[in-house]
Amino acid sequence: MLLPIHHSRLFRHFSKPLFLNFFKTPSFFFTNPSFSVAAALKFDGDGTYGEKIETFSHPSDDTVFGLMSSLSFFGPRRFLGDNKFKDVILSLDSAQVDRIVDYLITENPGCAVEFFYLLKDKYGFRVSKPCVFGVFHVLAGMRRLRELRKLMNELVHNEGSDSAPSLCELLWMFKDWDSNGLVWDMLTFTYSRSEMVHDALFVLSNMKKLNIRASILTYNSLLYNLRHFDIMWGIYNEISDGKVHPSEQTDSIITDGLWRQFLFQEAVEFLREAERKDTRTNVVSFNILMSGFSKLGYVDISKCFFCLMFKCGLLPDAYSYNILIHGLCVAGSIEEALDFAKDMENHGVESDLVTHNIIVKGFRLLGNMSGAGEILQRMLHKGLNPDIVTYNILVCGHCQVGNVDEGLKLHEEMLSQGMRLSNVSYSLLLSSLCKSGRVAEGLRLFYRLDNVILKPDHMIYTILVHGLCKQGEVRRAIQLYQQMCMKGLSPKAFAQRAILLTLCEKVTITEARLFFDRLVNHEFVDDIILYNMMIYRYAKVGDIQEARKLYMQLVEKQISPSLVTFNSLIYGFCKAGILADARMWLGIIKVRGLIPNAITYTTLMNAFCEEGNTEAMFELLVDMEARDVLPTHVTYTVIMKGLYKQKKLELSVRLLKQMFSKGVPTDEIAYNTVIQSYCEAGILKIAILLHNQMFRHNLKPTYVTYNILIDGICKYGNLRNADELLSSLQDQDFQLSKVAYTTLIKAHCAKGDVHKAIVLFSKMMDIGWSINEVQKIHLCFSIIRFLEIILKERKCYWHWQLSAGCKVKGFLILTYRC
């Protein structure tokens, strides 16, 4: 026993003769009429004494001495079942309890510990801190370290942060105890494990003053908590001075700390230095570096460290192999990962469930769920049952490849085994059901699991709300949204936006406004995107005044408008034809410190172009270039329209070339605009050249392109060329629009080729195109004009009239006589 021979008593004790008198009859002090209960105090769990239950007189000093003498001789267990003993204990005040504990620490340390637990656990007393530390020293001397650690944890937890100075002051009172160094070390360790690092460092500094060395376990705990900071080197240097022998864990913590501080090269050098000294190189340090480089995507470097482990005489463990296999799976090298799994077993390292889960996840990342199924069968053959991680990977994988039915099947299998998916997996499962249009099935699954297995979060509710909105079931979406709010889940903006957007697009703007007002007025939502939705919708329907009011409302609420807000307002004013005000909003954007984008300028330029004010359009283009705002292909298309109105066709072609030189992706609309310009100008040769140029730039002409070309050829070219173009497109199975056919029919009728017009009309009917009544009448009159010429040549007269009741349908009754 490591108790001191000479111990400075905290309290004064009584003389031995009185002690012997009390021991003659151990139960005497229980029946002594001079004794009565003074104050039965109960100790609360929060570290304070409770209210007094009964009030009596305090026991005498003789009684207290008799009590501690009996406890020292017989031990506390002797009196556990005696109610009178309990009454005596409950009568003691704090000072008397401390006196007894202090006496027992000196006379019978084992009894002191028992009495301490009796007071603490059975009667709820809180012994003073000096006596508590005395018990700590007794436990340390008896090497009952597990009990010491538990009691020390309770003390530190109750005292809390910044309590080290007061506890250290008490510990100085025990500096002559043989076990004092161990208690200091345990206190430092306890503060460190409780993440009260500043307190731990304070205790450590006091230990240095007493020339007490902390254990390597304590140093390692401190290093672990300080591994993110440079201060860890100060702790490591204290270890490296030779007085404390580092452990393998020490080097592992330093390696991990260097890595977490992004000192990758230093971490490698530290490991190499340990290797050169042939001391303390261990698998854990290698694993740390391998894991770090794998996470950064440098799997090849990880493989180098893996090989270096063998060179250092170390055998990789399962964790080492799993690190490499995981890195290779993430990199998509699934075959190499499988080779390492085989090598793992060849070296006698058993592949575990984690290994198989990693490979299953690798196949999932590649979208190869059949390969994942093979690994699953291999697991079952080895006697490894899939765990919740395996099922989560498989369910997510099948949902991602669109096989939601297999995901549901696996989910049912999990439920039968008492497992449940994570919320992330449930979110993916419900999302897959919603994306495939099976929203009702997703809702059934949701309500089946809600409050039983699944605890829905914002993401799950949002997925279902969005799914309902996508199907137009906005009423049910609102009900689900309200249910989410009633459960105390703060609604996410995505759900609110989905509902508002659906109300705007598929219901009425009035109902959308009601929902919007409820959000901003009752739920105090200040989401600029919601404002932007409403402002754009009002702008689109032409209610520019309401859009302006909403803008003023968000300004009053001090919500910063975004560029989308101003673009929507500009669009609304342009659509209403109030271009002066639209141009004014461009200036407000600049005043607000925002930079107009290509959409801003293009919207304004298109409005001025449609009005015929090409001068204002080109002024905006100059301003756009001055602000380094890059034009988009839509911007160039608008400019081409303006150039066409100014009859500057060559500039349009030059603009197309400029788009390619600047790397701006062009589209069919831009080409159609320029082709139409040349067709309407009658310059068919260049229009056809532009058409051919589209193929060279991997653009496919659309039916609009051919409508423009056929119309231009019919007006200014040879009708035979239009027929040949039509025939060529039919051979290529290109589906022309009805406009192209009616244009050709009209042209042939105008040229007098009724036979050709009727053939085209038949082809048009065979394709399935229908013509309107005006087109029917136009065709009939063309036939009549053709017949009139024939009859005149034969010197016949003719008569025609619309059939009765068929005026709208355009049926004709023709009669002639020679």
Side-chain angles (χ1 to χ4, degrees):
M1 190 178 297
L2 299 178
L3 292 176
I5 297 175
H6 300 287
H7 165 47
S8 176
R9 290 285 183 87
L10 300 178
F11 304 100
R12 182 179 61 84
H13 297 298
F14 295 93
S15 60
K16 189 173 181 181
L18 187 59
F19 161 82
L20 293 176
N21 291 332
F22 271 87
F23 264 142
K24 291 179 182 178
T25 53
S27 61
F28 171 79
F29 65 93
F30 297 129
T31 58
N32 189 345
S34 65
F35 165 77
S36 62
V37 177
L41 301 177
K42 190 168 182 63
F43 178 63
D44 292 335
D46 60 354
T48 59
Y49 288 99
E51 297 179 358
K52 292 183 179 180
I53 300 173
E54 297 181 56
T55 302
F56 302 93
S57 60
H58 286 289
S60 64
D61 288 343
D62 290 345
T63 303
V64 172
F65 180 69
L67 175 62
M68 58 190 181
S69 300
S70 299
L71 288 171
S72 176
F73 187 81
F74 294 104
R77 295 181 185 178
R78 168 75 177 274
F79 311 105
L80 279 178
D82 197 319
N83 290 329
K84 294 181 178 180
F85 176 79
K86 180 180 178 181
D87 292 338
V88 171
I89 298 300
L90 293 176
S91 71
L92 301 173
D93 60 23
S94 179
Q96 292 169 331
V97 169
D98 288 347
R99 183 182 303 172
I100 296 171
V101 173
D102 180 60
Y103 176 84
L104 293 176
I105 285 175
T106 304
E107 301 298 334
N108 192 337
C111 286
V113 174
E114 288 185 32
F115 185 62
F116 173 80
Y117 281 128
L118 178 71
L119 293 171
K120 172 178 168 293
D121 299 332
K122 293 290 185 181
Y123 302 135
F125 273 96
R126 183 176 63 178
V127 182
S128 67
K129 291 175 191 174
C131 282
V132 170
F133 274 100
V135 172
F136 286 172
H137 282 76
V138 171
L139 291 172
M142 300 171 70
R143 310 306 293 178
R144 293 164 65 173
L145 302 184
R146 182 176 297 180
E147 295 177 55
L148 173 60
R149 186 178 296 113
K150 181 180 177 182
L151 291 174
M152 192 78 80
N153 281 329
E154 291 179 6
L155 176 68
V156 168
H157 176 75
N158 290 331
E159 294 297 318
S161 183
D162 298 325
S163 59
S166 61
L167 297 187
C168 286
E169 186 177 351
L170 288 172
L171 263 179
W172 273 87
M173 299 168 60
F174 296 85
K175 62 182 178 179
D176 295 329
W177 285 58
D178 293 342
S179 55
N180 190 236
L182 183 56
V183 177
W184 278 97
D185 184 64
M186 185 65 73
L187 183 61
T188 309
F189 176 80
T190 305
Y191 271 124
S192 178
R193 287 293 294 270
S194 302
E195 297 184 358
M196 303 179 191
V197 183
H198 293 291
D199 289 277
L201 292 174
F202 183 87
V203 180
L204 187 64
S205 65
N206 278 269
M207 291 174 68
K208 294 175 187 176
K209 296 176 183 177
L210 289 170
N211 200 26
I212 300 173
R213 301 295 298 181
S215 65
I216 189 60
L217 188 66
T218 300
Y219 274 119
N220 286 344
S221 178
L222 276 169
L223 283 173
Y224 181 81
N225 283 290
L226 297 170
R227 67 192 188 280
H228 297 90
F229 311 101
D230 290 338
I231 194 175
M232 77 171 184
W233 287 112
I235 303 297
Y236 182 71
N237 290 334
E238 291 184 25
I239 302 173
S240 302
D241 63 5
K243 294 181 181 179
V244 179
H245 187 67
S247 65
E248 289 186 357
Q249 187 184 12
T250 310
D251 284 353
S252 301
I253 294 171
I254 292 295
T255 306
D256 185 46
L258 289 169
W259 189 266
R260 291 176 183 273
Q261 294 178 43
F262 304 102
L263 302 173
F264 307 134
Q265 186 174 349
E266 288 81 352
V268 175
E269 287 298 327
F270 182 81
L271 187 63
R272 285 179 178 174
E273 183 66 25
E275 180 193 351
R276 282 194 292 268
K277 292 179 180 179
D278 195 24
T279 57
R280 303 190 310 275
T281 50
N282 59 86
V283 175
V284 178
S285 295
F286 278 96
N287 287 346
I288 290 169
L289 292 179
M290 287 167 55
S291 177
F293 281 112
S294 291
K295 288 176 181 178
L296 292 175
Y298 300 116
V299 189
D300 291 335
I301 298 178
S302 296
K303 287 192 287 186
C304 292
F305 281 107
F306 183 82
C307 297
L308 187 60
M309 290 172 69
F310 288 99
K311 181 181 176 182
C312 294
L314 298 172
L315 292 177
D317 56 13
Y319 188 72
S320 310
Y321 278 100
N322 288 343
I323 290 169
L324 272 184
I325 293 171
H326 181 268
L328 291 167
C329 286
V330 171
S333 304
I334 192 69
E335 294 298 330
E336 192 174 357
L338 291 172
D339 290 339
F340 266 99
K342 290 179 182 178
D343 183 73
M344 181 179 183
E345 296 182 354
N346 293 337
H347 280 84
V349 182
E350 189 67 28
S351 56
D352 54 11
L353 186 59
V354 175
T355 312
H356 289 84
N357 283 344
I358 290 171
I359 299 174
V360 169
K361 184 178 180 181
F363 278 108
R364 180 187 73 82
L365 292 174
L366 294 174
N368 184 357
M369 294 311 297
S370 60
E374 292 176 7
I375 300 300
L376 181 62
Q377 293 302 318
R378 191 183 302 176
M379 288 171 58
L380 296 172
H381 181 72
K382 282 190 169 187
L384 297 172
N385 293 321
D387 63 355
I388 189 170
V389 176
T390 317
Y391 277 108
N392 273 295
I393 294 170
L394 290 171
V395 170
C396 291
H398 284 295
C399 289
Q400 285 173 342
V401 298
N403 192 0
V404 66
D405 289 321
E406 186 63 27
L408 290 170
K409 180 181 174 182
L410 287 168
H411 172 248
E412 292 298 325
E413 190 177 319
M414 286 184 69
L415 293 180
S416 66
Q417 297 181 31
M419 291 187 282
R420 60 177 289 270
L421 288 170
S422 65
N423 272 26
V424 174
S425 300
Y426 273 120
S427 297
L428 190 55
L429 186 60
L430 292 171
S431 178
S432 299
L433 286 169
C434 292
K435 286 179 181 178
S436 58
R438 299 159 65 176
V439 181
E441 194 173 346
L443 283 170
R444 285 196 297 272
L445 176 64
F446 169 76
Y447 286 117
R448 172 188 164 196
L449 300 175
D450 188 18
N451 296 324
V452 180
I453 297 175
L454 177 66
K455 291 184 179 179
D457 55 11
H458 305 93
M459 183 60 68
I460 290 175
Y461 273 106
T462 300
I463 288 169
L464 291 171
V465 167
H466 186 262
L468 288 169
C469 289
K470 197 173 180 181
Q471 288 195 336
E473 299 185 47
V474 67
R475 308 292 179 201
R476 294 185 66 186
I478 293 174
Q479 290 175 358
L480 199 62
Y481 170 81
Q482 292 171 342
Q483 180 182 334
M484 174 172 58
C485 296
M486 289 174 62
K487 285 194 172 185
L489 294 172
S490 299
K492 292 294 183 182
F494 190 76
Q496 298 166 343
R497 296 168 189 173
I499 293 173
L500 184 61
L501 182 64
T502 308
L503 287 171
C504 288
E505 292 180 347
K506 298 184 178 181
V507 189
T508 62
I509 194 170
T510 303
E511 292 195 50
R513 182 59 185 271
L514 288 173
F515 180 74
F516 171 81
D517 288 340
R518 185 164 66 250
L519 288 178
V520 298
N521 295 330
H522 300 290
E523 298 185 22
F524 305 103
V525 176
D526 293 334
D527 186 2
I528 185 60
I529 296 179
L530 296 177
Y531 276 94
N532 289 343
M533 284 182 182
M534 288 305 305
I535 289 173
Y536 174 75
R537 191 56 52 179
Y538 278 121
K540 192 171 183 179
V541 299
D543 193 348
I544 193 63
Q545 295 304 322
E546 199 63 37
R548 192 203 294 263
K549 287 180 183 177
L550 278 177
Y551 170 78
M552 297 306 298
Q553 180 179 323
L554 67 89
V555 171
E556 288 174 3
K557 289 189 174 184
Q558 296 183 346
I559 303 172
S560 299
S562 65
L563 187 58
V564 175
T565 315
F566 292 109
N567 285 348
S568 299
L569 288 166
I570 289 173
Y571 167 73
F573 279 100
C574 287
K575 188 173 182 180
I578 314 173
L579 300 190
D581 286 359
R583 184 70 181 268
M584 176 196 69
W585 285 103
L586 179 62
I588 296 176
I589 291 176
K590 299 171 184 177
V591 171
R592 281 276 180 178
L594 299 173
I595 301 174
N597 60 8
I599 297 174
T600 316
Y601 283 103
T602 304
T603 304
L604 281 167
M605 290 165 66
N606 185 63
F608 281 111
C609 182
E610 292 291 337
E611 195 183 55
N613 190 352
T614 55
E615 183 178 349
M617 182 193 74
F618 284 110
E619 286 178 2
L620 287 167
L621 178 62
V622 171
D623 186 39
M624 186 178 184
E625 292 175 346
R627 293 182 176 274
D628 293 328
V629 179
L630 295 176
T632 65
H633 66 282
V634 180
T635 313
Y636 280 108
T637 303
V638 171
I639 297 170
M640 289 172 190
K641 284 169 58 178
L643 292 172
Y644 164 68
K645 290 189 176 184
Q646 290 186 340
K647 307 300 180 185
K648 296 178 180 179
L649 305 184
E650 292 182 2
L651 287 177
S652 297
V653 177
R654 196 181 303 168
L655 201 60
L656 273 176
K657 294 179 180 179
Q658 185 180 344
M659 289 176 69
F660 287 110
S661 64
K662 289 185 175 182
V664 179
T666 188
D667 59 3
E668 296 83 357
I669 298 175
Y671 268 98
N672 291 345
T673 303
V674 182
I675 290 172
Q676 184 177 15
S677 302
Y678 277 95
C679 284
E680 291 187 2
I683 311 174
L684 299 179
K685 184 177 179 179
I686 296 180
I688 294 172
L689 286 173
L690 288 169
H691 162 264
N692 297 336
Q693 191 182 88
M694 291 178 72
F695 291 100
R696 291 198 295 271
H697 292 293
N698 297 320
L699 294 173
K700 292 183 178 180
T702 64
Y703 69 90
V704 176
T705 313
Y706 291 111
N707 288 346
I708 295 169
L709 281 173
I710 289 172
D711 183 67
I713 294 172
C714 289
K715 285 182 180 178
Y716 302 104
N718 191 336
L719 198 55
R720 184 183 301 173
N721 293 335
D723 290 335
E724 289 175 356
L725 177 60
L726 177 65
S727 177
S728 173
L729 292 172
Q730 287 174 339
D731 292 340
Q732 298 173 32
D733 293 327
F734 188 89
Q735 185 69 32
L736 282 169
S737 69
K738 182 173 66 175
V739 175
Y741 280 98
T742 54
T743 300
L744 279 169
I745 291 171
K746 181 180 178 181
H748 279 289
C749 288
K751 295 287 185 180
D753 192 350
V754 179
H755 176 72
K756 185 66 176 177
I758 293 173
V759 171
L760 288 171
F761 178 76
S762 299
K763 286 183 179 180
M764 185 176 172
M765 294 297 104
D766 292 339
I767 293 173
W769 292 117
S770 60
I771 60 176
N772 57 37
E773 304 303 328
V774 175
Q775 290 169 332
K776 288 180 182 178
I777 295 173
H778 182 79
L779 179 60
C780 290
F781 276 104
S782 298
I783 295 172
I784 290 170
R785 284 195 294 272
F786 171 72
L787 292 175
E788 182 179 12
I789 295 171
I790 300 297
L791 292 172
K792 282 184 179 180
E793 290 177 354
R794 296 182 180 182
K795 297 182 179 180
C796 298
Y797 66 92
W798 56 276
H799 172 74
W800 67 274
Q801 66 179 14
L802 290 172
S803 59
C806 298
K807 183 175 182 181
V808 177
K809 295 183 179 179
F811 293 133
L812 299 173
I813 298 177
L814 301 174
T815 58
Y816 69 91
R817 184 179 297 172
C818 298

